[in-house]
Amino acid sequence: MQRTILTFQRNAHLHTLQTVVTAVRSVASLEDANRSLYKQAADDDHVVVTEQTIFHPQGGGQPSDVGVMRGADGTTAFNVSMVRMNALAQGEVLHFGRFSSDAAASPFKVGEAITQTIDSEKRELYSRYHTAGHVLGAAVRHLLEGEVAGFDELKASHVPESAACEFRGLIEGKWKEPIQKRLDEYVAAAMPVEIDWWDEDDFRQNGLERLVPAAADRDALGMAPGDKFRVVKIVGAEVYPCGGTHVDSTDRCGKTNVKKITRQKGNSRVGYVLP
């Protein structure tokens, strides 16, 4: 198994990429663990694996990219409807989808050069939501870290229909307006959003030992032993270990509205939505 090069992590602005096919399999032939990733698959659905990819796999709270791959002849098309990391082979990206009807009888061949193209509108939307989630997390931390007992950031969903950040500790409803005010300030400040690569010493030197990803998180990010961690720096606010895609500055998120704060079992969930 050859690890897929995650080109989007180095250049999220690249929406078209030429690469080479390394595997083509029917979904029906997949191992149970991988077949179950795509429960809505039909009999004629396939998985395509390539040397590199600009498709962000579902994970880290961000939905996967969708789009199309086309063969060198320009006619053979594979419509990508979902992308996931291989559940069994670390670092391999699986592109789930269906060949166009005129290509179904003659799908891509291993070693064939193809062109990947993602849906740019969805990439932009998902990038705005992902960045906005980090900005919201930073606003809540800076505002409430010393106000809420046992406070910590837990996880987040950046899916447009259910976007929310979760925190340890009980955040009362009275904090909704102050959170919105701080969030508005961060968005309006047009803080640069930068990508960097850190090892554990970099986290320690920046006083952020708490952010060193656990071994399970490294596996989920498709990291090989010795790889540096990809971090997203919201300059002037926070740093987050993150494999997702982002806009270049906080103002590009657009107006980010806090929906409601819910509390359960000692944790709080702050929902948000973009226009």
Side-chain angles (χ1 to χ4, degrees):
M1 190 279 298
Q2 181 178 348
R3 299 171 65 84
T4 307
I5 298 171
L6 306 180
T7 302
F8 66 86
Q9 288 195 341
R10 298 285 180 177
N11 184 357
H13 297 295
L14 194 63
H15 290 191
T16 299
L17 175 72
Q18 290 186 330
T19 185
V20 174
V21 174
T22 59
V24 180
R25 298 177 62 185
S26 67
V27 172
S29 72
L30 296 177
E31 308 84 352
D32 289 345
N34 282 322
R35 189 165 62 247
S36 66
L37 297 175
Y38 194 38
K39 296 180 175 62
Q40 64 271 40
D43 291 342
D44 54 351
D45 284 342
H46 283 75
V47 164
V48 173
V49 182
T50 55
E51 287 185 355
Q52 303 166 287
T53 188
I54 53 171
F55 285 84
H56 180 281
Q58 179 178 318
Q62 180 173 335
S64 78
D65 285 318
V66 297
V68 65
M69 300 185 192
R70 294 190 183 277
D73 59 9
T75 58
T76 304
F78 179 71
N79 296 303
V80 179
S81 55
M82 190 186 76
V83 187
R84 295 289 296 270
M85 298 301 298
N86 191 317
L88 301 174
Q90 184 182 359
E92 184 177 73
V93 175
L94 306 179
H95 305 86
F96 291 85
R98 185 174 301 176
F99 285 97
S100 56
S101 58
D102 57 341
S106 180
F108 299 145
K109 304 294 191 297
V110 172
E112 181 177 349
I114 57 94
T115 299
Q116 298 178 339
T117 303
I118 61 170
D119 183 319
S120 295
E121 288 188 9
K122 287 190 174 179
R123 163 63 70 81
E124 177 72 10
L125 178 64
Y126 298 157
S127 297
R128 289 174 57 224
Y129 260 95
H130 202 149
T131 306
H134 287 327
V135 177
L136 172 61
V140 174
R141 172 174 289 279
H142 292 184
L143 189 65
L144 299 181
E145 188 170 21
E147 301 287 341
V148 174
F151 178 89
D152 199 4
E153 293 181 69
L154 298 176
K155 60 182 180 178
S157 167
H158 310 296
V159 178
E161 297 80 13
S162 58
C165 297
E166 296 187 26
F167 305 89
R168 182 177 293 116
L170 297 178
I171 301 175
E172 298 178 28
K174 68 179 183 180
W175 288 108
K176 180 179 177 182
E177 288 189 14
I179 291 172
Q180 182 68 66
K181 182 174 183 295
R182 184 65 61 90
L183 178 59
D184 289 344
E185 292 171 354
Y186 285 178
V187 170
M191 296 174 170
V193 179
E194 300 176 352
I195 304 299
D196 205 350
W197 301 85
W198 286 9
D199 57 24
E200 292 191 17
D201 286 340
D202 291 318
F203 284 96
R204 295 189 186 95
Q205 290 170 9
N206 285 276
L208 296 171
E209 295 92 336
R210 63 181 173 80
L211 294 179
V212 176
D217 295 326
R218 303 179 198 202
D219 291 344
L221 292 171
M223 295 176 61
D227 282 355
K228 288 191 173 186
F229 301 99
R230 184 178 187 265
V231 297
V232 174
K233 300 191 295 185
I234 301 173
V235 179
E238 283 289 335
V239 174
Y240 292 94
C242 182
T245 64
H246 295 276
V247 291
D248 292 333
S249 58
T250 57
D251 60 310
R252 292 283 304 278
C253 296
K255 173 63 175 173
T256 304
N257 292 308
V258 177
K259 292 175 63 178
K260 64 179 180 178
I261 302 172
T262 57
R263 294 162 292 279
Q264 186 176 21
K265 297 181 179 179
N267 294 333
S268 300
R269 180 180 174 91
V270 181
Y272 70 98
V273 65
L274 303 182

